[in-house]
């Protein structure tokens, strides 16, 4: 299964590196339009996706119902971020405002906390797995970026923000995990070499507000950053030097926090354009098209959720579906998890999960979509199991 999933990712990235976003969208449409109605695009990624997801409807495939496990080691302190390890069905990590991170294992049963990462002197705001899952980087209000060994929980390196400002978000450069991008409360982005702990020359820029969210496209050539003033900036990333060049700015809603950005090269046969999923504290989940090589965004759809002030996050479902429809999942301030079909014009809600005691701040799928994890403002992490038909 892991090999199939790696094949999906490899083809996905290869598609994106062949040419511009506009050309990619045209190629996808051309291939699809030549096929008889209802048939699959005849690629290895199509077959892999269908094999992993099964020949079920979208609603059936996202019929998550039962609770697989509940983690409460961070109870009474919000868990702002959680994420399954790359290409892994059973390894999950989360960070907490109590100043720690947890790495949890779901198999073999019973599910348990594998290791706790301790060392930050303040609330942990964000983290990211390296591609090989051997390292986690984390940011904190204590003004430090920390690099952790995921096997024993040892802190390998501490990098202090040169401005002594709160660090709010981080992400690995997808093609070069030696580089991490960090956003701080003084409006700055910075590329950091985690091997040396030093800033990359030319790898910094300033936004209009506190940097709350980051996302690369699959090849790592475009970086989007969102701030608490309602703007999304796109940057061109020089793969050789780590230099950032500011390209475009979109004001989503003046004064609103852009607290989640998630990029996807394409979602399904219906949603073939490169896309960006955005939570922006406007009581809607926003889906944008990426229309050019500079990361210019065009609003495609919006979906109603309760989201006005909390740092709520959303995700694309990891499998590329070649059935009708394509699915995204988001947290919400009404303590629910929502699944939306982005191509359904009416009644787009595919599923709604209830069980949290506070606003749901983040959601994460494992690699084969058999489990979904969600975290809330009370510190509870729920693992949901897909209903077996």
């Amino acid at each position: 299964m892991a090999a199939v999933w790696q094949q999906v990712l490899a083809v996905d990235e290869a598609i994106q590196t062949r040419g511009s976003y506009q050309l990619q969208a045209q190629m996808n449409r051309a291939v699809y339009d030549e096929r008889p109605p209802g048939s699959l695009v005849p690629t290895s990624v199509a077959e892999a996706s269908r094999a992993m997801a099964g020949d079920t409807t979208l609603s059936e495939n996202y019929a998550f119902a039962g609770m697989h496990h509940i983690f409460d080691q961070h109870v009474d302190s919000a868990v702002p971020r959680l994420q399954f390890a790359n290409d892994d069905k059973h390894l999950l990590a989360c960070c907490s405002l109590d100043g720690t991170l947890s790495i949890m294992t779901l198999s073999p049963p019973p599910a348990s906390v594998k290791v706790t990462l301790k060392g930050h002197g303040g609330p942990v705001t964000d983290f990211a797995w390296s591609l090989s899952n051997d390292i986690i980087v984390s940011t904190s209000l204590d003004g430090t970026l920390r690099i952790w060994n995921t096997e024993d929980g040892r802190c390998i390196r501490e990098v202090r923000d040169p401005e002594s400002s709160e660090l709010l978000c981080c992400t690995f450069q997808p093609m070069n995990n030696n580089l991490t991008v960090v956003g701080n409360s003084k409006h700055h982005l910075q590329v950091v070499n985690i091997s040396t702990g030093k800033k990359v020359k030319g790898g910094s820029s300033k936004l209009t507000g506190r940097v709350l969210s980051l996302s690369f496209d699959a090849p790592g050539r475009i970086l989007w950053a969102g701030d608490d003033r309602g703007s999304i900036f796109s940057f061109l990333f020089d793969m050789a030097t780590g230099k950032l060049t500011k390209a475009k700015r979109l004001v989503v809603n003046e004064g609103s926090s852009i607290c989640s950005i998630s990029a996807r090269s394409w979602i399904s046969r219906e949603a073939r354009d490169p896309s960006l999923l955005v939570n922006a504290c406007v009581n809607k989940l926003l889906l944008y098209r990426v229309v050019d090589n500079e990361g210019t965004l065009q609003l495609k759809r919006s979906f109603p959720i309760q989201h006005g002030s909390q740092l709520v996050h959303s995700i694309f479902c990891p499998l590329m579906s070649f059935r009708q429809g394509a699915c995204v999942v988001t947290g919400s301030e009404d303590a629910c998890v929502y699944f939306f079909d982005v191509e359904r014009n009416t009644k787009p809600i595919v599923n709604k999960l209830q069980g949290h005691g506070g606003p749901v701040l983040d959601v994460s799928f494992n690699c084969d979509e058999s489990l979904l994890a969600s975290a809330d403002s009370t510190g509870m992490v729920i693992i949901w199991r897909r209903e077996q038909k």
Side-chain angles (χ1 to χ4, degrees), residues 70-84:
I70 296 176
F71 289 98
D72 61 359
Q73 68 269 21
H74 299 292
V75 69
D76 298 329
S77 293
V79 173
R81 301 306 308 270
L82 82 168
Q83 186 182 1
F84 275 97

Side-chain angles (χ1 to χ4, degrees), residues 9 47 54 71 79 90-91 114 120 152 175 183 197 199 211 251 260 372:
L9 284 178
E47 298 301 331
F71 289 98
V79 173
H90 303 297
L91 197 61
K114 177 184 175 184
H120 277 297
D152 57 16
M175 295 294 104
K199 299 187 301 181
V211 186
V251 180
S260 176
L372 174 75

Side-chain angles (χ1 to χ4, degrees), residues 83-337:
Q83 186 182 1
F84 275 97
N86 296 298
D87 303 337
D88 198 293
K89 292 195 290 184
H90 303 297
L91 197 61
L92 174 71
C94 69
C95 64
S96 172
L97 299 190
D98 66 12
T100 68
L101 300 95
S102 297
I103 298 177
M104 299 153 280
T105 181
L106 307 180
S107 182
S112 62
V113 177
K114 177 184 175 184
V115 65
T116 302
L117 311 181
K118 298 179 180 180
H120 277 297
V124 184
T125 52
D126 198 7
F127 76 95
W129 290 94
S130 67
L131 195 59
S132 57
N133 298 324
D134 58 337
I135 288 174
I136 278 178
V137 294
S138 62
T139 53
S140 171
L141 298 186
D142 67 5
T144 67
L145 171 76
R146 285 179 177 260
I147 300 119
W148 308 88
N149 182 308
T150 57
E151 279 300 312
D152 57 16
R154 179 172 46 91
C155 181
I156 301 170
R157 185 182 298 276
E158 174 185 331
V159 181
R160 187 158 293 277
D161 184 76
E163 299 179 292
S164 299
S165 61
E166 299 171 331
L167 299 184
L168 305 177
C169 55
C170 61
T171 188
F172 275 108
Q173 210 288 336
M175 295 294 104
N176 181 1
N177 275 190
N178 196 44
L179 300 178
T180 299
V181 183
V182 182
N184 74 16
S185 62
K186 293 186 178 178
H187 308 185
H188 283 107
L189 277 181
Q190 182 63 58
V191 181
V192 177
N193 184 314
I194 64 171
S195 294
T196 64
K198 295 182 178 180
K199 299 187 301 181
V200 173
K201 186 178 181 180
S204 62
S205 189
K206 190 170 186 178
L207 277 60
T208 54
R210 291 156 48 94
V211 186
L212 299 179
S213 51
L214 300 165
S215 184
F216 275 101
D217 66 352
R221 293 173 178 163
I222 300 176
L223 171 72
W224 289 274
D227 65 23
D228 66 351
R229 302 286 181 86
S231 292
I232 300 175
F233 292 82
S234 66
F235 296 87
L236 305 182
F237 189 93
D238 189 307
M239 303 288 285
T241 65
K243 181 181 178 182
L244 291 174
T245 303
K246 191 178 291 184
K248 298 291 183 178
R249 178 191 177 193
L250 171 70
V251 180
V252 176
N253 192 59
E254 193 72 45
S256 295
S257 292
I258 308 297
C259 50
S260 176
I261 300 175
S262 180
R264 184 66 183 262
S265 58
W266 60 314
I267 312 171
S268 75
R269 60 182 186 178
E270 279 77 36
R272 295 177 296 280
D273 294 321
S275 301
L276 212 67
L277 192 63
V278 174
N279 292 89
C281 296
V282 292
N283 290 312
K284 294 176 183 178
L285 177 65
L286 306 173
L287 182 68
Y288 289 91
R289 287 189 181 94
V290 182
V291 298
D292 60 27
N293 280 348
E294 293 190 330
T296 303
L297 301 175
Q298 180 184 73
L299 184 64
K300 178 180 178 180
R301 290 287 305 276
S302 65
F303 307 94
I305 60 170
Q306 287 190 29
H307 184 202
S309 61
Q310 299 279 341
L311 299 182
V312 170
H313 298 83
S314 59
I315 53 169
F316 290 102
C317 294
L319 297 185
M320 290 184 293
S321 172
F322 286 82
R323 297 177 302 273
Q324 295 290 330
C327 205
V328 296
V329 182
T330 185
S332 177
E333 290 177 0
D334 64 359
C336 297
V337 176

Side-chain angles (χ1 to χ4, degrees), residues 340-389:
F340 291 105
D341 182 347
V342 302
E343 293 301 315
R344 189 182 294 181
N345 292 324
T346 60
K347 298 181 179 179
I349 297 177
V350 175
N351 197 0
K352 175 183 175 180
L353 303 180
Q354 302 177 76
H356 282 280
V360 179
L361 303 181
D362 201 9
V363 287
S364 179
F365 272 111
N366 67 352
C367 64
D368 69 352
E369 293 184 355
S370 60
L371 297 172
L372 174 75
S374 54
D376 67 28
S377 61
T378 73
M380 182 181 294
V381 173
I382 298 178
I383 313 300
W384 306 87
R385 182 177 62 253
R386 187 169 62 190
E387 191 173 273
Q388 298 298 318
K389 295 294 183 180

